[in-house]
Amino acid sequence: QVQLIESGGGLVQAGGSLRLSCAASGRTFSSNTMGWFRQAPGKERDFVAAITWSKSTTYADSLKGRFTISRNNVKHTVYLHMNSLKPEETAGYYCGAGLGTGLVYSRSSYTYWGQGTQVTVSS
């Protein structure tokens, strides 16, 4: 079992930055692929970024250069640094943990999910 708790969301002006954190419990954290997804009201949960146990990273094409995913296997935490935020990126941001199989940008590759943290970007 892996439990995930996201934090760091909030209200930020357009162009601003936020750092999200996802704290994980469970012995297998260091071997998990960790991913961030986001979901706006009435829309599907979309892939943002992922990082494997070996710290290989993948990003949604539209986010490259603005978002950075990282992980600290000692602290069992994964981070998402978000820069130059846009109002259309207002959404709930969710952390997922997977076993490292399947496509990292697919929701079905993640077995465990956190409750999410809300990010609101004002114009």
Side-chain angles (χ1 to χ4, degrees):
Q1 277 281 22
V2 176
Q3 292 184 327
L4 305 172
I5 300 177
E6 301 96 333
S7 62
L11 176 63
V12 63
Q13 289 188 333
S17 300
L18 280 176
R19 187 186 78 163
L20 306 183
S21 299
C22 173
S25 63
R27 297 178 180 179
T28 61
F29 174 81
S30 60
S31 63
N32 286 138
T33 291
M34 303 297 296
W36 285 99
F37 287 70
R38 63 188 181 188
Q39 186 170 19
K43 296 188 177 182
E44 293 189 350
R45 188 171 295 189
D46 293 330
F47 172 72
V48 172
I51 185 166
T52 66
W53 64 271
S54 62
K55 300 187 178 181
S56 173
T57 59
T58 305
Y59 296 92
D61 287 342
S62 63
L63 303 178
K64 290 179 181 177
R66 291 196 298 121
F67 287 22
T68 303
I69 189 171
S70 60
R71 67 189 295 164
N72 184 323
N73 287 338
V74 174
K75 294 184 176 181
H76 287 199
T77 302
V78 62
Y79 305 97
L80 184 68
H81 291 76
M82 306 184 293
N83 296 319
S84 302
L85 283 162
K86 304 173 183 179
E88 56 265 37
E89 293 178 315
T90 293
Y93 282 70
Y94 297 86
C95 173
L99 299 177
T101 59
L103 301 172
V104 297
Y105 52 81
S106 173
R107 285 174 293 172
S108 62
S109 298
Y110 297 87
T111 304
Y112 306 100
W113 292 93
Q115 293 300 306
T117 185
Q118 179 66 32
V119 171
T120 302
V121 185
S122 64
S123 57

